Amino acid sequence: IATGATPLMPSEYAYGKDVRILTSLELDRKFMSDDPMLKALKSAVFIQCVGSREPDRPYCSRVCCTHSVENALELKHRNPEMNVYVLYRDIRTYGEREYLYKEAREKGVIFIRFSVDDKPRVSVDNGRLTVRVKDHILGIPLELETDLITLATAIIPNRDEKLANFFKVPLNADGFFVERHAKLGPSEFATDGVFLCGMAHYPKPMDEAIVQGKAAASRAVTL
């Protein structure tokens, strides 16, 4: 079972109202095509947890923090003088990805924390793109004028109940498939001969998806 997942198309932060408001994947495509608009940027804002860790989707999508930090570093690499802000609830660059977070701090990326009850507010007015957020240390509101806003959107499971019923394997409340045991059977189900890997199981970065895919293949060849 490797049904994958899809990115959320955001409905907040004025997404779709201005071409300078992008998702993380849309920014990736601009990097890959070396879009000319990247050369004109003087300021960029990343907003984390868009659609994640909220009542509708209480889970963390796991890859978003690292993704945004990597993209922030890429912008800093292209223009070290650029002002880059990451607005976050909790930075989850776990494991050795913490070095990326440390590097971003050293390169001058500014991290501003916000709470789910007081989210940043994006406005587009006469071509002026601004983000208002409260500084969590000083407790005062900030207004950031920016040339680019990137939204780190949630990962949505491809909830396939027909497949789950056919193979008699469980889905959790969020729509991800549930393994037999987190430690003793991380890539198999309680149903014999059915195996699990990738984002069908839970949001995860590519290296973890590959390891779990290899684990599922290894278990399958023991039959």
Side-chain angles (χ1 to χ4, degrees):
I1 307 287
T3 53
T6 53
L8 172 75
M9 294 309 292
S11 58
E12 52 187 337
Y13 301 118
Y15 180 77
K17 295 181 180 176
D18 193 292
V19 294
R20 296 168 295 176
I21 303 173
L22 311 170
T23 66
S24 297
L25 291 177
E26 287 167 347
L27 179 59
D28 286 350
R29 292 188 194 105
K30 289 192 179 293
F31 283 140
M32 287 187 277
S33 64
D34 204 18
D35 194 302
M37 70 95 70
L38 296 171
K39 293 174 184 171
L41 298 178
K42 293 180 180 169
S43 176
V45 173
F46 292 82
I47 302 177
Q48 299 304 109
C49 289
V50 180
S52 289
R53 301 174 64 217
E54 294 188 3
D56 290 344
R57 282 173 223 90
Y59 57 89
C60 169
S61 293
R62 291 186 70 210
V63 300
C64 331
C65 284
T66 304
H67 196 171
S68 290
V69 169
E70 285 176 335
N71 282 350
L73 282 168
E74 177 63 23
L75 288 174
K76 275 289 191 181
H77 173 71
R78 289 171 182 243
N79 179 6
E81 301 303 313
M82 187 187 301
N83 293 319
V84 180
Y85 304 89
V86 178
L87 313 186
Y88 71 98
R89 286 174 57 197
D90 296 290
I91 289 292
R92 297 189 171 186
T93 49
Y94 58 93
E96 293 192 358
R97 295 169 178 85
E98 192 77 11
Y99 290 120
L100 290 169
Y101 170 65
K102 186 180 177 186
E103 183 185 351
R105 294 288 300 267
E106 289 168 349
K107 294 278 174 67
V109 176
I110 297 170
F111 290 81
I112 302 171
R113 191 173 194 176
F114 69 91
S115 71
V116 70
D117 302 320
D118 192 10
K119 292 182 180 179
R121 295 184 301 283
V122 173
S123 61
V124 184
D125 186 25
N126 293 326
R128 189 167 170 260
L129 193 59
T130 57
V131 182
R132 291 177 179 85
V133 64
K134 185 187 237 181
D135 185 291
H136 66 294
I137 295 173
L138 301 176
I140 60 172
L142 301 174
E143 183 175 281
L144 309 173
E145 188 168 352
T146 185
D147 304 316
L148 176 74
I149 295 174
T150 305
L151 307 179
T153 56
I155 289 171
I156 309 295
N158 292 327
R159 183 191 289 268
D160 197 329
E161 293 180 5
K162 186 178 178 183
L163 202 64
N165 291 332
F166 183 83
F167 285 104
K168 298 181 176 59
V169 291
L171 287 167
N172 66 15
D174 298 321
F176 294 101
F177 287 94
V178 181
E179 72 275 36
R180 180 172 67 83
H181 189 285
K183 299 290 185 187
L184 304 178
S187 59
E188 56 197 281
F189 290 103
T191 304
D192 289 339
V194 189
F195 305 94
L196 170 68
C197 64
M199 285 196 179
H201 168 237
Y202 200 76
K204 53 176 62 73
M206 200 179 298
D207 54 353
E208 289 182 28
I210 290 169
V211 167
Q212 197 180 19
K214 288 180 175 180
S218 299
R219 292 297 297 136
V221 298
T222 64
L223 292 177

